Amino acid sequence: MTTTADVVVSFLATSGVRRIYGVPGEGSNLDLIEAARARHIQFVAAQQASAAAVMAATAGDLTGNPGVCLTAAGSGAAGAVAGVRHAYLD
């Protein structure tokens, strides 16, 4: 049975994404992390969502592929604002 996480990760894989940055265990992101592992997309753990967002933005700049940051809703998304701003300005 195909899950939403499988569909999302499949799209990321076809877009050239090789890494996802985020804080593991926040919200329900474990399904996405497992789906990424199955597609050989590396999950890079960060201590804070803002650091994960900056890493994703930098990866996107360096590779030319989309940078992906995985956060939880609420405080996780709010913490990623600095990294999203960095990506937007560049």
Side-chain angles (χ1 to χ4, degrees):
M1 182 171 159
T2 303
T3 66
T4 302
D6 294 328
V7 173
V8 169
V9 170
S10 177
F11 173 77
L12 294 176
T14 59
S15 298
V17 172
R18 297 292 167 244
R19 288 179 191 84
I20 297 174
Y21 303 88
V23 181
E26 286 190 336
S28 61
N29 65 17
L30 297 178
D31 291 337
L32 279 167
I33 294 170
E34 178 57 27
R37 186 200 61 74
R39 293 291 301 248
H40 305 290
I41 296 176
Q42 179 184 10
F43 179 78
V44 179
Q47 191 170 10
Q48 299 174 350
S50 60
V54 169
M55 289 189 287
T58 302
D61 289 342
L62 293 174
T63 65
N65 294 328
V68 179
C69 176
L70 181 61
T71 68
S75 64
V81 168
V84 173
R85 181 169 163 77
H86 163 74
Y88 179 74
L89 291 175
D90 288 345

